[in-house]
Amino acid sequence: MILNHTHTIDLFPIAPYTFDVSFHKPDHFPTSDNHWEPGVRWQTMRWQGIPLGLKFENVGNLYQPCIRLSIWSQTPLDPDFIKGLRQELEYRLFLNLDLTVFNQRFGDDPQLGPIIARWRGMRPLNVSSLYEYLIIAILLQNATVRRTVSMMQIMYKHYGTLLEYDGRQFYCSWEANDLNTVTEDELRALKVGYRAKFILRISHAFSAGFDEITLRGQPRSEQRKALLGLYGVGPASAGYILSDVFHHLDEMDHISPWEQKIYSKLFFDVDPEQPVPVEQLTELFNQRFGGYRALAVHYIWEDLFWKRKNENIPWLEKLIRL
DNA sequence: CATCAGGGCCCTG
DNA sequence: CAGGGCCCTGAT
């Protein structure tokens, strides 16, 4: 599908805001719906059923942030659509997050302070809808990164839409309805394994009305309950979604074994293969980062993975198993 | 070649 | 509440 019509609008995040570390997360596995270069991110999006090609460009700075957003579409978009899209992106990109309190509170923390200074203005990144994020969460389960990438790619090939805009090609996600007529065997043929059942059950739930926007307005406990009610979603996936999709900056209910190893090294400087008990990690997070546990760990985590981009971190390589 | 664990979850006992 | 099984893949 070739997208020829363009609209351009400006988005104004709350300062401080930093474009690159907010739009590129070195620890996220690569998917063919987006591409980042310094100052630019291409990203497809399906909104109100319409496939869009987005291009975000940094035209501001830390204290006077501005993002120029170009929107490619197959047919012209009316102003109401653009308005709704703007609101949705402001939410998903967390542009209204005011980091002032966080920065003040942890600016003097011996570990977090220098990291905040380095990445000031960074916020978590999620451009996906809840449904799209759930698919990713399912594909992450019990798989290496390489396998997750290949499962995601084959799903895009079969059910996504290839978009061409700005001289580039990216896949755009499908909708839950699109899988209504797909059988478990068809999905299994794509080598997603037992996850086929999860993907279908979740897609059916969304087709039947499971609604992201409604959930946004509910308290975290209700959101968690609703997520855990989805077949194939357990505490790990629910935790990622509550922090990444629903923006709960203090979400830290579940620490999985591989995370436990990395946290043990980062916060206690012990051999990751002899990790400290989860309860001890939880206690440390509560004491030091209470109220902002997810955001604090996000800063430390991203700092580590940016470092990994530039230098070899042997202990980490062993743990992330590409 | 065979075996096994992997960035979970469901189901059973 | 602990533990087996699940699809597949690549590492050993």
Side-chain angles (χ1 to χ4, degrees), chain A residues 86-102:
Chain A
R86 170 198 288 276
Q87 283 176 359
E88 181 64 13
L89 284 171
E90 285 170 349
Y91 176 83
R92 291 194 191 180
L93 298 173
F94 220 161
L95 300 186
N96 60 352
L97 171 63
D98 188 342
L99 289 162
T100 313
V101 173
F102 176 79

Side-chain angles (χ1 to χ4, degrees), chain A residues 42-197:
Chain A
W42 290 265
Q43 171 76 56
T44 65
M45 176 174 176
R46 189 180 283 274
W47 177 240
Q48 310 291 355
I50 298 181
L52 302 171
L54 307 181
K55 181 186 189 182
F56 302 93
E57 292 173 279
N58 184 17
V59 293
N61 58 54
L62 184 59
Y63 291 107
Q64 299 220 313
C66 181
I67 301 167
R68 184 139 303 153
L69 169 61
S70 305
I71 308 157
W72 275 262
S73 56
Q74 202 175 26
T75 57
L77 304 170
D78 65 63
D80 278 348
F81 182 94
I82 301 275
K83 191 179 166 192
L85 176 67
R86 170 198 288 276
Q87 283 176 359
E88 181 64 13
L89 284 171
E90 285 170 349
Y91 176 83
R92 291 194 191 180
L93 298 173
F94 220 161
L95 300 186
N96 60 352
L97 171 63
D98 188 342
L99 289 162
T100 313
V101 173
F102 176 79
N103 290 341
Q104 279 171 357
R105 182 159 153 206
F106 300 106
D108 293 330
D109 183 280
Q111 188 178 16
L112 190 48
I115 292 175
I116 289 179
R118 200 171 307 140
W119 307 121
R120 190 178 302 282
M122 175 176 76
R123 58 208 65 208
L125 173 65
N126 171 52
V127 195
S128 306
S129 67
L130 172 59
Y131 172 73
E132 290 156 4
Y133 195 108
L134 279 161
I135 299 297
I136 294 169
I138 297 299
L139 296 184
L140 278 170
Q141 292 172 11
N142 220 28
T144 56
V145 172
R146 178 196 292 277
R147 179 148 188 237
T148 298
V149 169
S150 73
M151 288 190 287
M152 193 69 223
Q153 183 64 18
I154 196 164
M155 289 293 291
Y156 272 135
K157 259 190 192 148
H158 278 256
Y159 306 110
T161 309
L162 187 61
L163 304 184
E164 185 173 322
Y165 71 100
D166 199 29
R168 292 165 183 261
Q169 294 189 333
F170 298 101
Y171 276 104
C172 185
S173 179
W174 62 96
E175 289 180 293
N177 294 341
D178 297 333
L179 299 194
N180 276 348
T181 57
V182 175
T183 65
E184 187 177 332
D185 284 346
E186 283 177 66
L187 267 189
R188 278 177 176 266
L190 305 185
K191 301 189 190 296
V192 300
Y194 64 88
R195 300 170 194 80
K197 195 169 165 188

Side-chain angles (χ1 to χ4, degrees), chain A residues 265-309:
Chain A
K265 172 68 178 169
L266 286 177
F267 295 99
F268 289 89
D269 196 24
V270 300
D271 177 2
E273 296 306 333
Q274 311 282 324
V276 308
V278 167
E279 305 78 57
Q280 215 171 320
L281 290 166
T282 305
E283 196 178 330
L284 176 128
F285 291 147
N286 290 345
Q287 281 180 3
R288 282 181 56 192
F289 305 132
Y292 286 101
R293 290 176 297 179
L295 186 59
V297 168
H298 179 69
Y299 266 73
I300 291 166
W301 194 268
E302 292 307 317
D303 186 62
L304 176 66
F305 277 85
W306 276 98
K307 207 173 282 174
R308 177 175 175 267
K309 245 178 128 86

Side-chain angles (χ1 to χ4, degrees), chain A residues 12-39:
Chain A
F12 298 97
I14 290 183
Y17 175 85
T18 300
F19 184 93
D20 287 312
V21 292
S22 296
F23 265 114
H24 178 61
K25 306 293 180 182
D27 57 314
H28 289 193
F29 72 89
T31 49
S32 49
D33 65 331
N34 77 82
H35 176 68
W36 169 83
E37 288 171 10

